[in-house]
């Protein structure tokens, strides 16, 4: 029993890392730009498919392939923002972003169906299949790499947000868009770039997800609901919170699975509701710094 | 933009006779609409056509119920499916437990509404305490909790789902009664929405939407008001969900609690005009039949094409008519009508004390110095 | 904000009425017949024997997008292959077959709309079933109300036959193997082994699904009666964040046999991956569904890993039946790949067409009432999946359950049970992962 529990905890932490990778971009976008990016799930799948194609067609190692997919997804993110989201205005902007990103998700999903068909695939790269024997059970290296990437990403994004001028303009925009404009920050450019970064991060999440799960164009829907729950629990805009929340929720689900698998997923969402009752801003969310 | 609207509305159209004329027009329009809607299944009695009517009316009801809460308070709820599915399961469980077979199952519709209201109370008490953005995600989380309960609790029979009481009407006469029942519920919902809008309750709701803190400061019991609207909205959704259950004949955890259900409703509301009763109705009348119909055309049924098309159409509409059809349409018409009319009427041509409110309005609108804004 | 709305908004209701009526009129006129429906489907078509030119129209709604899209598209290919073969041979009684497919996106509202359209607007002669037990219920109710027979190949869960509509009208016919007994050949095989060779322990992880669970639960019941100890038996949700935790639990118990109640390829792939990670190899690994999807399975798990995995089904590409072999070679000619890559759904769909064809020929037309009576008359029909004979509920009582296994590094999908049946070859034990 102790072995099972410890394995479940380790599983939970590592899988939580994968989810954190996928959620990091979402919390940045939601926290900074007030955009509910429903397309995030499908974008993860797009990143997974890109890594898959690079691996199977061009035989590029999945980690090396990130050098291509991350910038590619960044550009896709910037384009999506510039083409569709930039024009949204008004008091109901957040709800509009919900609809716009949903429409974008539909289009991307349709394109993925056309290009790849409906069959499930998985990235079966050799580097992702090695295991390490620790604590009496086995862990796949890919999960460890994914977790390390998640932590590294959080650190990198923190550095970006708190140590660079660009980061300062992002934080300024987050706190008060009008004031930011008044001090000369090009809010549109900041928004587009932030959205692009949020999407670029999903390339890494997609690669790890695609290496650990079979997926097809339809797999994005299951993801987005969990990702939303994670970022709310962690506090919107908080990268560390996303990591912490992902690890917490997935570990909880993983441990409960030992006894009640069918209820474990419900526990996931119930935990969210419970935490929000007592801490409406999530674990690490900032107090409301701007009006709703 | 708003100034031009004000200018037009302060012009001759608002002369005393016009008010009466427009309400007569409105009543006539409503009468025409009522006749069309009631006669529809008699004129077009092919079941595949009345089928669209049934689904359209179901979604008109849900969207209008959504609007009663989310349209008025500004709290976007993505949890209507919680009530919809619960209503379906409630009717199914009650029908089998209390032996309501066949058409007697319709007597359980109020029961479904009560179940919806009961669920809405704790749901609302938890969810309405948080900020608006968090509220959206809480509704999503509660939705998934309910879907998972439907999978796992024993009385819901898991993935098999529940079968509705068997209604043995023949094909030619099956859709029409459902149409009228849905129509009655839809009409009732629209009436409730309209009454709320005209009432003090509605004013309080919209005050919450505009500035909740100020509303609270002015003495509005915000939690009570929000919760009441939430409960009304939930009860209606549960009732129409049970109608849907009887029509389809079956409910399963992922059909009664469908993740895309709420997104579709939000789309309908925004398409037609967020916050407007007629707009929400129009949005539902357009979106639901259109999406169903699109898939019945074999050239679009090829899978990915319909998704790309659907997404593309949504994008175009949301981007170019961001306030919805009704408000944007209104703006376009207004702009058309006021084309050619001078923005400022020079004082000299009007002359004398006959320069009534219209002149002062235009001179204010043109931004002359000292004009009260 | 709204001091006063423009007149358009104030009269929105009236204008909506106008807009709506126009729209509806347009839709009705474009869809052809808007007159009152007839509930008896084209019985006129069978009346005139000289109606050689009138094609036989058959309508089906399939999941071409959404959760079941991989299967839905395979089904479509099966139906199309059948129609092509029939038409190439001159049609049924001289009449060409014309298929209409609509996408239901795995949604019950759409499936109901689709069948109402097919029946009442397009007036198809016959209806074929959609994919998945979950959609068959509402769809068959629509068909039943109009008196149509509902021949399908993918809705085999008991819940399909227990809908009140079917219990009243008995018009659902499933040509494929009823699921409840499908793992029995494996149980019988274990029973036939001497006690020393039998497995000692078994695990039964099951996805929450009416299609996957009944056979696994029956197998558990029978195997424990034979003395095989159950070390793990649990239902897991259809969509967990990750399958790894429960797969790890199973691996941790080290059972000799794993019988996985899966419904799709990703579940099997995830369990296989986790077993491999844990360096755990079951001696026998049976999955309820997934490995029978041919290349769709191999592309997800990798050819080397597939060996030894067993799956029950009523059919496989190597089936020694002339019509089946012809269908397989045509499929390969059109879509490429190898015989083992043919998805079992293709055969299920093809069989539906064949059963309909035989019924039409026997009853001399497309009168659905006659077809229903004929199919319930106890007659045995042929199909690429073997013999078909319907019981009173509409299940195929004549189908035999087989167990199939991947061998030869994912290159061959062969029949291994029941032992002694024609075409059976030897079972291989699952070799440790990565060794192949």
């Amino acid at each position: 029993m102790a072995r099972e529990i410890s394995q479940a905890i380790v599983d939970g932490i590592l899988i939580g890392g994968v989810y954190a990778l996928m959620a990091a971009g979402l919390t940045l976008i939601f926290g900074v730009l007030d955009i509910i990016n429903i397309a995030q799930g499908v974008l993860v799948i797009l990143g997974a498919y890109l890594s898959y194609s690079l691996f199977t067609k061009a035989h590029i190692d999945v980690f090396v392939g990130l050098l291509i997919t991350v910038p590619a997804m960044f550009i896709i993110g910037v384009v999506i923002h510039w083409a569709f989201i930039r024009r949204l205005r008004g008091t109901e902007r957040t709800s509009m972003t919900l609809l716009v990103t949903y429409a974008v998700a539909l289009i991307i999903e349709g394109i993925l169906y056309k290009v790849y068909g409906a069959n499930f695939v998985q990235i079966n790269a050799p580097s992702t299949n090695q295991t390490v024997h620790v604590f009496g059970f086995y862990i796949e290296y890919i999960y460890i790499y994914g977790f390390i990437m998640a932590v590294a990403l959080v650190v990198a994004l923190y550095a970006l947000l708190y140590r660079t001028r660009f980061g300062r303009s992002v934080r300024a925009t987050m706190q008060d868009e009008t004031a930011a404009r008044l001090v000369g920050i090009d809010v549109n450019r900041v928004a587009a770039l932030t959205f692009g970064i949020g999407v670029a991060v999903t390339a890494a999440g997609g690669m790890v997800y695609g290496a650990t799960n079979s997926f097809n164009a339809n797999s994005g829907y299951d993801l987005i609901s969990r990702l939303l729950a994670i970022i709310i629990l962690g506090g919107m805009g908080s990268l560390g919170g996303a990591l912490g929340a992902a690890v917490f929720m997935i570990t909880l689900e993983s441990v409960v699975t030992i006894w009640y698998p069918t209820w474990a997923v419900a526990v996931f969402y119930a935990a969210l509701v419970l935490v929000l009752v007592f801490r409406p801003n999530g674990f690490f969310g900032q107090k409301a710094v701007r009006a709703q | 933009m708003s100034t031009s609207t004000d200018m037009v509305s302060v012009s001759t159209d608002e002369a005393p006779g016009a008010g009466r004329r427009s309400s007569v027009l409105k009543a006539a329009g409503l009468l025409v609409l009522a006749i069309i809607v009631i006669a529809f299944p008699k004129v077009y009695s092919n079941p595949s056509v009345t089928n669209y009517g049934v689904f359209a009316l179901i979604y008109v009801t849900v969207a209008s119920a959504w609007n009663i809460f989310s349209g008025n308070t500004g709290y976007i709820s993505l949890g209507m499916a919680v009530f919809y599915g619960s209503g379906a399961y409630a009717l199914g469980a009650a029908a089998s437990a209390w032996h309501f077979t066949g058409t007697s199952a319709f007597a359980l519709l109020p029961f479904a509404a009560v179940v919806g209201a009961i669920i809405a109370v704790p749901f609302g008490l938890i969810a309405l305490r948080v900020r608006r953005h968090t509220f959206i995600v809480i509704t999503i989380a509660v939705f998934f909790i309910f879907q998972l309960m439907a999978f796992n609790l024993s009385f819901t029979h898991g993935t098999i789902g529940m079968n509705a009481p068997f209604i043995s009407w023949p094909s030619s006469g099956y859709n029409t009664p459902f149409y009228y029942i849905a129509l009655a519920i839809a009409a009732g919902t629209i009436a409730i929405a309209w009454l709320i809008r005209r009432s003090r309750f509605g004013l309080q709701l919209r005050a919450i939407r505009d500035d909740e803190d100020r509303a609270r400061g002015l003495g509005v019991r915000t939690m009570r008001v929000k919760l009441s609207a939430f409960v009304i909205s939930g009860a209606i959704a549960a009732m129409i969900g049970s109608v849907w259950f009887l029509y389809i004949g079956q409910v399963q955890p992922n059909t009664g609690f469908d993740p895309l259900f709420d997104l579709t409703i939000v789309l309908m509301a925004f398409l037609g005009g967020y916050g407007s009763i007629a707009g929400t109705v129009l949005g539902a009348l357009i979106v639901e039949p259109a999406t169903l119909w699109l898939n019945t055309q074999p050239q679009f049924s090829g899978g990915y094409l319909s998704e790309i098309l659907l997404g593309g159409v949504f994008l175009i509409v949301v981007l170019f008519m961001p306030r919805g059809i009704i408000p944007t349409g209104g703006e376009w018409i207004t702009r058309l009508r006021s084309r050619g009319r001078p923005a400022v009427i020079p004082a000299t041509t009007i002359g004398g004390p006959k320069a009534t409110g219209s002149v002062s309005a235009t001179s204010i609108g043109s931004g002359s110095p000292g004009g009260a804004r | 904000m709204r001091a006063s709305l423009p007149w358009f908004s104030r009269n929105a209701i009236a204008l909506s009425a106008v807009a709506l009526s126009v729209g509806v009129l347009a839709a009705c006129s474009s869809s052809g017949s808007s007159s009152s429906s007839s509930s008896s489907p084209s019985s006129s078509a069978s009346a005139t024997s000289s109606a050689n030119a009138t094609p036989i129209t058959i309508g089906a709604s399939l999941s071409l997008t959404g959760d079941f899209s991989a299967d839905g598209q395979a089904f479509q290919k099966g139906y199309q292959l059948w129609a092509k073969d029939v038409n190439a041979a001159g049609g049924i009684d001289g009449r060409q077959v014309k298929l209409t497919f609509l996408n239901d996106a795995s949604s019950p509202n759409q499936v109901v709309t689709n069948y109402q359209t097919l029946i009442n607007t397009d007036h198809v002669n016959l209806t074929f079933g959609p994919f998945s037990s979950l959609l068959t219920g509402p769809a068959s109710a629509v068909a039943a109300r109009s008196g149509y027979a509902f021949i399908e190949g993918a809705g085999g869960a008991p819940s399909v036959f227990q809908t009140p509509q079917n219990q009243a009208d008995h018009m659902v016919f499933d040509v494929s193997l009823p699921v409840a007994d499908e793992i029995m050949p494996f149980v019988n095989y274990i029973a036939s082994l001497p006690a020393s060779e039998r497995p000692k322990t078994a695990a039964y992880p099951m996805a929450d699904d009416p299609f996957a669970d009944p056979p696994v639960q029956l197998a558990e019941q029978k195997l424990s009666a034979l003395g095989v100890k159950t070390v793990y038996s649990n239902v897991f949700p259809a969509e967990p964040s990750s399958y790894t935790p429960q797969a790890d639990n199973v691996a941790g118990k080290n059972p000799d046999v794993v019988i996985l109640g899966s419904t799709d390829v990703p579940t099997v792939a995830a369990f296989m991956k986790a077993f491999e990670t844990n360096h755990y190899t079951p001696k026998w690994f049976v999955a309820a569904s997934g490995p029978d999807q041919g290349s769709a399975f191999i592309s997800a798990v990798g050819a080397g890993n597939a060996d030894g995995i067993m799956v029950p089904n009523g059919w496989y590409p190597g089936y020694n039946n002339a019509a089946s072999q012809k269908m397989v070679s045509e499929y390969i000619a059109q879509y490429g790949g190898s015989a083992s890559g043919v998805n079992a759904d293709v055969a299920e769909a093809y069989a539906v067409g064949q059963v309909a064809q035989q019924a039409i020929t026997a009853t001399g037309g497309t009168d659905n009432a006659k077809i229903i009576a004929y199919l319930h008359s106890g007659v045995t029909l042929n199909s690429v999946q073997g013999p078909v004979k319907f019981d009173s509920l509409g299940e195929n009582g004549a189908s035999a359950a087989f167990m199939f296994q991947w061998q030869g590094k994912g290159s061959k999908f062969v029949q291994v049970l029941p032992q002694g049946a024609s075409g059976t070859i030897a079972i291989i034990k699952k070799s440790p992962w990565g060794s192949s």
Side-chain angles (χ1 to χ4, degrees), chain B residues 66-100:
Chain B
W66 182 89
N67 186 48
I68 287 176
F69 173 72
S70 293
N72 283 322
T73 61
Y75 280 72
I76 303 293
S77 162
L78 289 183
M80 288 300 268
V82 168
F83 304 108
Y84 192 76
S86 299
Y89 272 103
L91 193 136
S96 67
W98 302 332
H99 307 294
F100 279 77

Side-chain angles (χ1 to χ4, degrees), chain B residues 302-329:
Chain B
Y304 57 83
L305 199 58
S306 65
E307 296 207 320
I308 296 182
L309 200 70
L310 209 61
V313 168
F314 286 178
L315 268 181
I316 291 173
V317 168
V318 172
L319 289 177
F320 292 108
M321 291 204 277
R323 291 172 53 203
I325 294 182
I326 300 246
T328 311

Side-chain angles (χ1 to χ4, degrees), chain A residues 3-26:
Chain A
R3 184 185 157 281
E4 276 164 351
I5 297 182
S6 46
Q7 184 174 27
I9 293 178
V10 172
D11 277 343
I13 293 176
L14 295 177
I15 299 172
V18 179
Y19 273 83
L21 259 185
M22 300 189 279
L26 192 63

Side-chain angles (χ1 to χ4, degrees), chain B residues 44 46 48 175 244 250 337, chain C residues 7 25 109 116 120-121 138 208:
Chain B
Y44 298 106
N46 187 328
S48 53
N175 295 356
W244 167 81
Q250 199 181 50
R337 293 184 66 203
Chain C
W7 73 268
L25 279 165
N109 291 4
Q116 297 212 20
N120 294 301
T121 303
D208 195 358

Side-chain angles (χ1 to χ4, degrees), chain B residues 29-30 33 36 40 44-48 51 159 166 171 174-175 244 247 250 252 255 292 295-296 301 303 334 337, chain C residues 6-7 13-14 17 21 24-25 33 36-37 64-65 103 108-110 113 116 120-121 134 138 145-146 165 208 210:
Chain B
L30 274 170
L33 178 67
I36 291 178
F40 179 73
Y44 298 106
S45 54
N46 187 328
S48 53
N51 176 61
T159 28
F166 181 43
S171 158
Y174 185 84
N175 295 356
W244 167 81
Y247 182 62
Q250 199 181 50
Q252 287 154 11
T255 61
L292 286 176
N295 272 321
T296 64
S301 269
T334 307
R337 293 184 66 203
Chain C
W7 73 268
I13 297 177
S21 346
V24 164
L25 279 165
S33 59
S36 60
S37 70
L64 299 174
T65 56
N103 179 20
N109 291 4
Q110 189 72 55
T113 305
Q116 297 212 20
N120 294 301
T121 303
L134 300 175
R145 285 200 289 272
S146 299
Q165 189 84 50
D208 195 358

Side-chain angles (χ1 to χ4, degrees), chain C residues 208-229:
Chain C
D208 195 358
D209 182 275
F211 193 77
D213 298 348
V216 177
Q217 284 160 339
L218 181 63
E220 178 183 352
Q221 195 190 336
K222 299 280 186 195
L223 283 176
S224 1
L226 281 175
V228 181
K229 184 156 163 282

Side-chain angles (χ1 to χ4, degrees), chain C residues 293-390:
Chain C
Q293 294 198 15
S295 50
F297 176 65
I298 301 289
S299 71
V301 306
N305 288 325
D307 278 10
I309 312 273
M310 293 194 277
V311 62
N313 206 308
W315 175 90
Y316 76 119
Y319 182 44
N320 199 352
N321 168 306
S324 172
Q325 293 294 318
K326 178 159 166 277
M327 177 192 78
V328 169
S329 46
E330 278 173 15
Y331 182 93
I332 297 175
Q334 186 161 350
Y335 300 108
S338 69
S340 305
V342 179
N343 193 325
D345 295 332
V346 173
E348 288 174 0
Y350 199 97
V352 169
Q354 290 178 301
V355 164
Q357 179 180 5
Q358 289 167 75
I360 294 173
T361 309
T363 59
T366 54
D367 181 330
N368 272 279
K370 287 194 196 153
I371 290 177
I372 294 175
Y374 175 72
L375 291 174
H376 272 309
S377 65
V379 62
T380 304
L381 303 171
N382 300 320
S383 79
V384 289
Q385 297 192 122
V388 175
K389 180 173 168 205
F390 297 110

Side-chain angles (χ1 to χ4, degrees), chain A residues 18 41 97 106 180 236 244:
Chain A
V18 179
T97 61
L106 280 178
M236 290 174 311

